[in-house]
Structure formats: C-alpha cells, structure tokens
Amino acid sequence: MSRKRPPPTLLQLAVQNLLEDEDLAVGALKDLPGELFPEMFVEAFTRGHTDVLKAMVQSWTFPCLPLKSLMNLLEPGTSQTKLGDVLWENRSLQILQAVLDGIDGLLAQKVCPRRVKLQVLDLRDMHKNFWRVWAGKTFENHCNFWFRSMIAACSSVATKRRKIENGPRVSEKQSLKVVLDLPFYHDLQDPFKSYLLKWVQKKKGFVQLECTELDIDLTSTQNITDVLEMANLDSVQELRVYLTSTHSILAQFASSIGQMKNLQKLTLHNICVLLFSKEQTDQLVTKLTSQFPELHCLQEIYLDSVSSPVLRSLTSPLEKLSISCCKPSSSDWNQLPQCPSTRQLKHLELCSARMTDFSPDPLRALLDNVATTLTTLHLQDFSITDAHLHVILPALSRCSQLKIFSYMNSMSVATLESLLSHTARLSNLLLEMYFIPQGIYVPHQGANQRRDQIRDELMRIVDSLNHPRIVRFCAGHHEIYNTSRFCYPMHSSPCSSCISV
C-alpha cells in the first residue's frame, strides 16, 4: 500500500499557480522574496520550465547553486518525478543547458544586478538539505554556511585563511566557479559531462573549473591534457589514478601532480603491473616522486603495492597508509619502516598482501615506530602465519592509542588466546574484530543453532581470559570482497555475519 503524499502547502500552491504563466513568472522574479527561489526553482525543474530556470539563474540570490544534488533528489523512482531513465537523461541535459544559458547571460552583463550573488555552480552530490530548508533567515544562514564550507573545500591555502563574510558578486572580473567531481575518465563521454566541459572550455577566463575529487583512468588518453588544463589543479583534494597507459602519457600526467598543492588523498593503482622496461619504469617513478615534495597537505595514500620510492619521497608524515592486493618486493618490504613518511601514522591498513615468504620484522618495526600515534590497524587476508603474528605481538601491545583493531586472518585457537591476552592491555581499544579461529568444531545443523554453538565456544575462550570488552568474530568474511577498481574494502565495522562475544 503506497503512502499518501501530504497536500501541497500554500507556498507550493502559490508557486505552482505562478508557473502556469511563464512570462508572468519571469517578470515576477525581480520582486520575488529570496526564500521563495528554491521552491520555485524545484517546481520549474520538475515541470521542465527551462525559460524560467534560465531567468532564475540570472536573478539567483544566493552564493551557491547546488544543481547536482537537486537532480539526484528528483531522479527517476523518487516521489517527485515519474520520468523514465531515457526521458530523465534528456531532461537533465536540457536543465543543464538552461542553467548554463542563464550563466552566459549573467556573465555577459557589464554591470551585475545588485541582488545577484551567484559565485558557485556546484555539480557535486552534496548539500541536499539546501533544497529542504525554506524559512527566511534560517535558510539564508544555511546557505552562507554551505558557501563557506564549499569555498574552504575547493580553494587554495591562502583563500582558505581568508574570512568570508559576504562573497563578491559575479562580474566580468570575478570568474564563476563550477565545482565538479570527475569520476572515471571514460565517464566524461556521457552527454551531461561532455556538454559541461565543452562549455567550460569556451568560457575560459570567465569560468573556473574546481575538482575536489579527480579520478583519471589513463587507459583512455583522449583529451586528458585538455581536462587538466581546464581544471584548477590547486583545488584537487582527492586524486585516484589508474596507472596503465603509454609511458609518455604517464610521464606527462606525473608533472601535473605537483600542481595539486592541496592534495590530501592519493590513490595509485596498478603500480606493480606497469608493462614497461625497468629503465622506463625507474624513469617514470623518479618523475612521479619528484613532484611529491610539493604535496605538503598530503595525509593519506592508497597503494596496491609496497613502493618504498613513493613513500621515501614524501617530505611530510602521513596520517593514513593503505596497501592492498600485492606481493611486495623483499627490498620494498624491508625499507617500509625506514620511510620518514610512515613514522607518525594514525591509520594503517594492509590487505591481501602475500606475506608468507617474508619476514615479519619490518611490520614489527613499523608498529614500534607508530606505537604512540596509531589509532586504527587493519590486517586483512594478509597470509600471515601464527609464527609471524607472535613476532609482532609485543609491538602490538605497545600501541597504547589503538582504538580499532581488525585482524581478519586465519589463526588457531591458541594464537587467538595469545592475541587476546595482548589486546586486553590496550585500555583505549574500543573495537576488535577477528575471523572465527580454526579448530572450533561445530556439527552441521540449522543455521541459528550452529551460530549459537559457535558463540558458546567463543564465549568459553574469551571468558577464560577475563577479557575486558566485547569481541566480534566474523563468520561470513568472503562476502565483503568486491571487484571495485580502486577500493579494496576493509572489514572495519561489524556486519550481519559478526558474532559478538
């Protein structure tokens, strides 16, 4: 049974009535109270009144227009639109064209209307609450808060430090910011992004493209240079790169990283499978790492292989290091704890690394180095033996600030008992998670009964140690893996298969 929609408010009825006559609606904009603009914009958007939207952009009374969040709120399947996927795609492009036409008209004006405050067209999936807050001063305060947050997220360090009270109006000397997160590069071929980027390119000097998140797949080289030249690289805070391409393209891209002065998160995928000669690979790594001393804001790095040249080249200490799906070289693995960038880690994630043939001493040394700073440690599918684990246990017990510990690897009951006796001493530990150890035998019975018997056996182990906190054991860990290209999921929080003891 479908839930009834509430009857329209008087405000909604007034806006709907006004939009019955587009000419009347456009003429009324100059006298329309600012708090009515979002309601009228949503209604015009839903009904496809492109001329009204174009005029509203030229009269927009707030610093930021979060268009993408509105599109996502009204996409097919929501209660506010019944358009199919194909019609919705066409409608989205029409709406974008109307908004950009409105901005064209605004930029063409020699004197900006005093009422107009538009500085940012935000095409990220953020600020959904912008369209849900309607009342006077409260609404205006929310807008100003979102505007300040957005500016802080996509501006340079110097701009971040400047207190923003009332932003300047758009004029021929003040470029308008278009904020867009660019996912995988081949996705730029969709009509929406293609039209937008062509428009930005035509408006060079009047429009500034900001990308707080940038994903680039270097398997596709078309227009990479154009995109990098269009975007204000100083605005990039998160960069994910799929490193499979020609040597010349990768070398060309490497020089762009040094311009990303505010980069905080960096993901380099496929470092370990570059199909170049050793000389070419060494040249590329050298060119790439030569840019890293410029990245003073970098805090998190995600790699699919231990790369000591990358980590040694960083001049600032990292807060987070995540390494997934690799079999590191013996040299890189041994040098890991010697890299200055790893000396103050707060978060360490090692996943799917084949460590069976390697010494556990580098990991022990790394934990010793970060014993006073580490708060999160994930060791998952690490192919680490019980003997390896016993080597690192003394270093683990010295990690006094550790709050979250996830050890999702096979181990014996005896090793689990030894591990729990060490973690029991960590007074700040809030969450610890493990796989159900080998050696716990439960007869094949009903799922619920089997789960209860497993819990009873685990409780016997934990209670015998007088462990001071709840421990969680996962019985369904194979379900957590996926084929995501850049993300290797860590089992970092309890799931439906976890048993609390």
Side-chain angles (χ1 to χ4, degrees):
M1 181 177 178
S2 61
R3 187 171 56 182
K4 287 187 177 181
R5 294 183 61 186
T9 64
L10 291 176
L11 173 61
Q12 291 170 333
L13 289 173
V15 169
Q16 292 169 10
N17 184 62
L18 184 59
L19 286 172
E20 294 296 331
D21 186 333
E22 284 197 2
D23 292 336
L24 179 62
V26 171
L29 290 178
K30 63 181 183 297
D31 299 316
L32 192 70
E35 58 268 24
L36 298 187
F37 265 69
E39 179 70 41
M40 187 166 172
F41 197 93
V42 171
E43 194 65 31
F45 183 108
T46 305
R47 296 188 180 197
H49 291 297
T50 54
D51 288 340
V52 175
L53 290 175
K54 177 180 176 181
M56 291 195 73
V57 169
Q58 298 182 18
S59 302
W60 196 248
T61 62
F62 305 103
C64 179
L65 175 55
L67 184 64
K68 184 63 175 178
S69 59
L70 176 59
M71 289 180 168
N72 289 346
L73 283 173
L74 300 180
E75 64 184 343
T78 67
S79 61
Q80 293 179 281
T81 181
K82 293 187 172 72
L83 293 174
D85 289 336
V86 175
L87 287 176
W88 176 255
E89 183 175 317
N90 293 335
R91 170 68 61 80
S92 296
L93 185 57
Q94 290 172 0
I95 298 303
L96 176 64
Q97 291 170 340
V99 169
L100 298 184
D101 286 346
I103 293 176
D104 281 340
L106 192 59
L107 294 174
Q109 298 179 30
K110 293 183 179 180
V111 179
C112 181
R114 182 173 297 276
R115 188 182 192 191
V116 176
K117 298 179 182 178
L118 181 62
Q119 294 184 61
V120 179
L121 175 63
D122 199 328
L123 293 168
R124 299 171 297 173
D125 187 18
M126 299 176 65
H127 313 308
K128 290 184 175 67
N129 286 337
F130 182 100
W131 303 103
R132 299 191 180 111
V133 184
W134 308 114
K137 273 292 178 184
T138 301
F139 180 74
E140 183 178 348
N141 291 338
H142 273 279
C143 287
N144 288 333
F145 171 76
W146 289 319
F147 176 60
R148 289 193 297 269
S149 300
M150 183 281 306
I151 288 293
C154 67
S155 298
S156 66
V157 172
T159 303
K160 287 181 187 178
R161 293 172 181 170
R162 189 166 60 239
K163 187 177 181 181
I164 298 173
E165 296 292 345
N166 296 309
R169 300 192 308 274
V170 174
S171 69
E172 60 180 357
K173 294 184 180 180
Q174 172 67 39
S175 61
L176 180 134
K177 295 180 188 293
V178 176
V179 186
L180 175 69
D181 288 338
L182 295 179
F184 307 117
Y185 188 78
H186 57 74
D187 193 41
L188 300 182
Q189 306 307 314
D190 78 67
F192 187 94
K193 291 189 177 69
S194 178
Y195 185 89
L196 173 68
L197 292 176
K198 287 178 180 178
W199 179 83
V200 170
Q201 198 166 29
K202 290 179 182 178
K203 297 296 174 183
K204 187 175 181 179
F206 296 93
V207 171
Q208 182 173 296
L209 181 63
E210 305 274 357
C211 300
T212 54
E213 295 185 26
L214 183 60
D215 289 9
I216 295 185
D217 182 349
L218 295 181
T219 57
S220 173
T221 60
Q222 182 181 2
N223 295 327
I224 286 179
T225 303
D226 290 340
V227 171
L228 293 176
E229 287 181 351
M230 277 192 288
N232 172 22
L233 298 182
D234 197 45
S235 69
V236 179
Q237 293 188 11
E238 298 185 35
L239 173 66
R240 290 174 287 275
V241 187
Y242 189 82
L243 293 172
T244 303
S245 188
T246 65
H247 183 270
S248 61
I249 291 295
L250 287 172
Q252 180 182 0
F253 175 74
S255 62
S256 299
I257 293 183
Q259 301 176 48
M260 301 178 186
K261 306 295 185 182
N262 291 306
L263 187 64
Q264 298 177 14
K265 299 180 183 179
L266 173 63
T267 298
L268 297 177
H269 184 75
N270 251 25
I271 293 179
C272 54
V273 294
L274 290 175
L275 302 179
F276 305 136
S277 67
K278 185 180 186 305
E279 181 181 358
Q280 285 180 317
T281 301
D282 290 344
Q283 289 175 353
L284 179 60
V285 170
T286 299
K287 184 155 190 173
L288 183 69
T289 55
S290 69
Q291 304 297 312
F292 285 1
E294 303 296 325
L295 306 180
H296 301 294
C297 296
L298 189 62
Q299 298 176 347
E300 303 179 18
I301 191 164
Y302 301 79
L303 304 170
D304 62 359
S305 176
V306 178
S307 178
S308 58
V310 170
L311 296 172
R312 282 201 312 269
S313 65
L314 298 172
T315 57
S316 301
L318 293 170
E319 287 193 3
K320 183 172 184 177
L321 173 62
S322 179
I323 302 175
S324 304
C325 194
C326 68
K327 182 175 181 179
S329 71
S330 177
S331 174
D332 280 341
W333 176 243
N334 290 332
Q335 292 181 47
L336 181 60
Q338 301 170 22
C339 299
S341 61
T342 64
R343 294 298 181 91
Q344 298 180 35
L345 291 174
K346 293 183 178 179
H347 309 278
L348 176 62
E349 299 178 346
L350 298 173
C351 176
S352 302
R354 304 305 173 197
M355 300 306 305
T356 309
D357 301 326
F358 292 90
S359 167
D361 289 334
L363 179 56
R364 176 194 53 75
L366 180 60
L367 291 178
D368 274 332
N369 289 343
V370 298
T372 60
T373 60
L374 195 67
T375 62
T376 303
L377 176 61
H378 297 307
L379 301 176
Q380 178 171 303
D381 191 29
F382 203 46
S383 298
I384 189 170
T385 66
D386 284 359
H388 282 162
L389 180 60
H390 283 289
V391 171
I392 70 171
L393 280 181
L396 176 65
S397 63
R398 287 191 286 272
C399 294
S400 57
Q401 303 305 310
L402 197 64
K403 295 181 179 180
I404 298 175
F405 177 50
S406 173
Y407 184 78
M408 312 306 285
N409 299 274
S410 297
M411 59 180 160
S412 66
V413 171
T415 298
L416 172 65
E417 292 174 341
S418 179
L419 178 55
L420 290 175
S421 67
H422 281 77
T423 60
R425 307 168 194 167
L426 300 174
S427 59
N428 288 310
L429 195 60
L430 301 176
L431 174 64
E432 50 187 310
M433 299 178 59
Y434 309 100
F435 284 161
I436 295 173
Q438 300 169 340
I440 292 186
Y441 172 74
V442 177
H444 291 289
Q445 299 179 11
N448 290 336
Q449 187 174 0
R450 183 172 185 272
R451 186 181 178 93
D452 289 342
Q453 288 181 309
I454 291 175
R455 179 184 284 108
D456 291 342
E457 182 66 15
L458 291 171
M459 287 184 67
R460 183 192 63 77
I461 296 172
V462 174
D463 289 347
S464 66
L465 299 171
N466 293 317
H467 201 70
R469 69 187 67 88
I470 293 175
V471 182
R472 292 174 173 84
F473 296 88
C474 187
H477 60 275
H478 294 296
E479 299 174 4
I480 69 175
Y481 293 98
N482 62 30
T483 58
S484 174
R485 201 174 203 176
F486 292 118
C487 178
Y488 301 90
M490 296 289 175
H491 196 354
S492 55
S493 59
C495 67
S496 59
S497 298
C498 285
I499 298 174
S500 298
V501 178

